[in-house]
Amino acid sequence: MKTLDKVVYQIYPKSFCDADGDGWGDIRGVIGKLDYIQKLGVDFIWFNPMTISPQNDNGYDVEDYCQIDARYGTMEDVEELIEEAGKRGIRIMFDMVFNHTSTHHAWFQKAIAGDPVYKDYYIFKKGKGEGVPPNNWQSKFGGPAWEYVPQLDEWYLHLFDVSQADLNWENPRVCEECADIVNFWYEKGIRGFRFDVINLISKGCFADDPNLFDGRQYYTDGPHVHEYLKRLNALSFGRYDDVMTVGEMGNTTIENCVQYAGADTGELDSVFSFHHLKVDYKDGNKWTLMPFDFMKLKELLFSWQTGMQEAGATNALFFNNHDQPRAISRFGNDKQYRKESGKMLAVVNMMMRGIPYVYYGEEIGLPNADFDSITQYRDVESLNRYAIMKEEGAAEEEILAILNAKSRDNGRTPMPWSDDENCGFTSGTPWLPLAKRAGEITVEKDLADPDGIFAAYKKLIALRHEMSIIQDGSFIPLLQDHPSVFAFARQWKEESMIVLCNFYAEETTVHAETEGYTLLYGNYEDVIVSDEMKLRPYESVVLYRKDVEAE
């Protein structure tokens, strides 16, 4: 399947639309909104996990990979979703969580009961002494990455929540089980697979981290990860020619991602990498406050675009997802220039080389939650971090300011559809409170605005589908030293494109060779194309030229 012409819409199912009034988004709610998604023009809908789970990590703690959680609906609902989406030219992508399972999973329950077959599905180790874990690794959600099991006198590894036990991919049966799960969903009609934290599945060794950090250097892009992915490919999705795959790759490198997502490497179609979403981490620490480093953002986007391009590998393009605060609050201006900055970020994402992802609410410029109290948060990472910062003596006001900027719950608030109760998301009590400004920013209001953010996304997605230069053209960085403008060119055969995006609220002027170029898209009216382009606050301009002599 060709992938560079595809656009994916991501739905966090708990928060999209609730059809039965229990405050929890569900599959029937999504089915009722498929015409809306079709209007946007996307090719795939990616769903975060909807299988049975205790929900300690919102479905990423999987209890049963092949059964739908009743809170979302039934398998019959999934089958109807696939059919109805297909009628609208949309395919469905599911999340595959193969680094770990819930401790409620039948495999783990058999493991802690002493079954040696299933014990080998997980990573159990003896401690270094009484009450001392096997090493000093820390969970990504805070606290030790090991949990003691008294009846076994051993510890199991959990890189994430204590209820998420890491799988042992050194056991070939684990890969075979995961392949069976992919094949099960393919037979159901799923045609896209997103693999959660998949570059963590190969643990290199279990030494102490000398830097007293979390041990990631021993399990990120581990020694056998490419071998494992090739085998998973060969046993499952690689057998089919109508599947699109993407892997989530935390703390990775371009060199590894070239292998993960190279055209002929036999692993995946594309990768999510996150370096560009850490440019507001002070000294590398997420739980801090600082303005984003624009020059670092440019450097990272440029290096990943060119590095992957040179090797014929493919990036996923995104600023938003379920693990990130809202980009419009982070990189844009969600108050004075909400529409302008929302459209500008859309231009950056849609015009680069790769496969763009649009996260629900992004297409209407939904901002961060702006919660007032810790009681409004639900995310396990945020609640753990709140407790840690409290214990360290931080003031309540300081902690809430950090959570308001960095919590994953910012990207998970319910979709505001209308002016109805709970903004049309549910007739019940929402599982997570709506964003403070949700009533001001709704789908209904944005659709009624011909110059709204939704209209911009629709136009840009249509251009991406129509134009080979956007799908297949080379990416060329421009204005690399400009302090406020992100600029690049695209080149394809006799076609050329220039993209200019002002990331700030101050006007700026850029020099660009624009002879023969015409305006393809702009987020302001009255754009004057010239060699000295004056860019207004958060202005984005896409210029296009076709060499007539080459025809």
Side-chain angles (χ1 to χ4, degrees):
M1 175 191 290
K2 181 178 180 180
T3 58
L4 286 170
D5 61 337
K6 303 298 187 289
V7 178
V8 183
Y9 186 76
Q10 183 190 353
I11 286 177
Y12 197 67
K14 286 176 75 169
S15 298
F16 193 66
C17 185
D18 170 26
D20 62 9
D22 65 355
W24 181 295
D26 47 44
I27 298 166
R28 300 222 63 81
V30 176
I31 292 171
K33 300 296 185 181
L34 284 173
D35 287 343
Y36 166 78
I37 300 170
Q38 181 187 26
K39 189 180 297 184
L40 193 59
V42 299
D43 305 283
F44 277 86
I45 302 172
W46 159 31
F47 288 85
N48 296 97
M50 296 189 291
T51 49
I52 293 175
S53 164
Q55 294 290 319
N56 292 322
D57 188 23
N58 287 296
Y60 284 92
D61 47 327
V62 179
E63 182 176 340
D64 189 324
Y65 287 100
C66 297
Q67 293 293 328
I68 296 298
D69 193 312
R71 288 168 286 191
Y72 291 115
T74 64
M75 190 65 78
E76 289 73 25
D77 290 332
V78 171
E79 291 163 356
E80 184 178 341
L81 169 70
I82 293 167
E83 180 181 358
E84 289 299 320
K87 290 177 184 177
R88 294 162 175 82
I90 302 170
R91 296 167 181 162
I92 304 300
M93 173 182 284
F94 267 14
D95 226 317
M96 299 287 108
V97 187
F98 290 161
N99 177 69
H100 47 260
T101 74
S102 168
T103 52
H104 287 242
H105 196 288
W107 300 342
F108 190 81
Q109 290 300 305
K110 291 177 182 178
I112 59 172
D115 186 326
V117 172
Y118 287 97
K119 193 163 173 281
D120 196 36
Y121 275 38
Y122 297 91
I123 299 171
F124 285 91
K125 299 282 183 186
K126 289 290 185 182
K128 290 194 288 188
E130 187 175 349
V132 182
N135 62 34
N136 66 352
W137 296 2
Q138 295 294 297
S139 160
K140 292 180 181 292
F141 290 167
W146 298 91
E147 182 71 6
Y148 183 62
V149 181
Q151 65 268 34
L152 299 177
D153 189 27
E154 289 185 309
W155 303 68
Y156 69 84
L157 179 68
H158 61 92
L159 295 181
F160 294 88
D161 188 61
V162 66
S163 66
Q164 294 167 292
D166 277 54
L167 287 164
N168 174 26
W169 275 73
E170 289 188 10
N171 178 354
R173 278 294 300 148
V174 168
C175 184
E176 292 165 12
E177 294 269 21
C178 291
D180 288 346
I181 293 162
V182 172
N183 290 328
F184 170 85
W185 285 112
Y186 180 85
E187 291 300 319
K188 286 290 182 184
I190 300 301
R191 292 297 180 265
F193 296 96
R194 181 262 190 187
F195 296 95
D196 183 63
V197 295
I198 198 67
N199 67 322
L200 308 186
I201 61 175
S202 174
K203 280 66 177 179
C205 72
F206 293 89
D208 277 335
D209 186 335
N211 300 312
L212 303 178
F213 188 40
D214 61 8
R216 66 183 58 182
Q217 67 267 36
Y218 298 119
Y219 58 74
T220 302
D221 301 321
H224 301 293
V225 65
H226 297 293
E227 170 191 332
Y228 296 155
L229 280 175
K230 287 179 192 295
R231 188 158 186 261
L232 181 63
N233 177 310
L235 292 174
S236 60
F237 55 85
R239 297 159 51 192
Y240 316 116
D241 60 7
D242 60 345
V243 168
M244 186 169 80
T245 57
V246 60
E248 180 190 28
M249 308 292 174
N251 303 299
T252 189
T253 64
I254 295 174
E255 291 72 26
N256 269 297
C257 287
V258 161
Q259 180 67 28
Y260 291 132
D264 302 311
T265 58
E267 297 187 27
L268 302 169
D269 290 322
S270 58
V271 293
F272 288 103
S273 61
F274 296 90
H275 298 74
H276 67 293
L277 296 179
K278 298 179 181 181
V279 296
D280 55 358
Y281 288 15
K282 187 176 182 181
D283 299 323
N285 182 1
K286 170 180 175 174
W287 301 103
T288 53
L289 293 175
M290 66 169 273
F292 76 97
D293 184 335
F294 175 64
M295 298 306 288
K296 187 67 175 175
L297 178 69
K298 283 175 65 166
E299 175 194 333
L300 287 165
L301 290 175
F302 284 158
S303 62
W304 276 84
Q305 282 283 293
T306 55
M308 294 290 277
Q309 171 179 266
E310 287 165 7
T314 303
N315 276 316
L317 306 173
F318 69 107
F319 283 114
N320 291 277
N321 71 20
H322 60 287
D323 285 332
Q324 301 294 329
R326 292 283 177 177
I328 199 165
S329 301
R330 188 178 188 183
F331 302 117
N333 183 321
D334 64 13
K335 296 179 175 65
Q336 186 179 0
Y337 295 105
R338 190 179 63 85
K339 279 174 60 172
E340 293 84 355
S341 64
K343 294 177 187 181
M344 182 273 291
L345 290 169
V347 168
V348 175
N349 211 41
M350 287 295 163
M351 295 294 110
M352 289 195 293
R353 179 186 177 276
I355 302 170
Y357 284 69
V358 181
Y359 186 55
Y360 86 99
E362 179 179 356
E363 75 277 19
I364 61 168
L366 190 62
N368 277 347
D370 198 21
F371 289 154
D372 298 315
S373 165
I374 190 61
T375 61
Q376 295 174 284
Y377 287 90
R378 303 289 181 268
D379 176 38
V380 60
E381 182 190 37
S382 299
L383 297 175
N384 287 353
R385 185 54 52 179
Y386 175 86
I388 290 169
M389 288 190 282
K390 268 286 189 187
E391 190 175 323
E392 292 172 345
E396 183 84 2
E397 184 179 355
E398 177 190 358
I399 298 173
L400 288 177
I402 291 171
L403 290 176
N404 275 336
K406 300 298 181 69
S407 171
R408 300 191 300 180
D409 277 340
N410 284 303
R412 300 174 178 183
T413 56
M415 182 74 147
W417 291 98
S418 65
D419 288 333
D420 296 333
E421 182 183 5
N422 295 318
C423 294
F425 165 69
T426 181
S427 58
T429 302
W431 76 276
L432 175 70
L434 281 91
K436 186 177 287 187
R437 295 173 62 198
E440 169 195 338
I441 302 161
T442 68
V443 169
E444 196 173 72
K445 288 175 181 173
D446 202 79
L447 287 178
D449 181 359
D451 190 40
I453 297 175
F454 183 96
Y457 272 92
K458 182 178 179 180
K459 171 67 173 175
L460 293 165
I461 291 170
L463 287 173
R464 190 169 190 98
H465 284 150
E466 293 164 9
M467 302 183 72
S468 295
I469 186 173
I470 306 175
Q471 299 169 21
D472 302 313
S474 59
F475 179 96
I476 305 162
L478 299 176
L479 305 177
Q480 289 174 266
D481 297 325
H482 198 290
S484 59
V485 173
F486 185 79
F488 56 92
R490 303 294 306 275
Q491 189 72 42
W492 175 250
K493 297 180 180 178
E494 73 275 13
E495 299 176 76
S496 302
M497 183 178 288
I498 295 173
V499 180
L500 305 170
C501 295
N502 182 5
F503 263 75
Y504 290 92
E506 293 76 34
E507 277 194 4
T508 189
T509 301
V510 298
H511 177 78
E513 301 289 343
T514 61
E515 184 178 354
Y517 282 88
T518 57
L519 181 68
L520 185 66
Y521 177 82
N523 65 343
Y524 277 80
E525 295 181 355
D526 307 321
V527 175
I528 299 173
V529 178
S530 71
D531 287 353
E532 296 294 325
M533 293 286 294
K534 181 174 285 187
L535 298 179
R536 290 160 282 194
Y538 298 98
E539 183 164 14
S540 53
V541 175
V542 181
L543 306 177
Y544 175 76
R545 183 183 72 190
K546 188 170 184 178
D547 187 349
V548 177
E549 294 180 2
E551 293 184 331

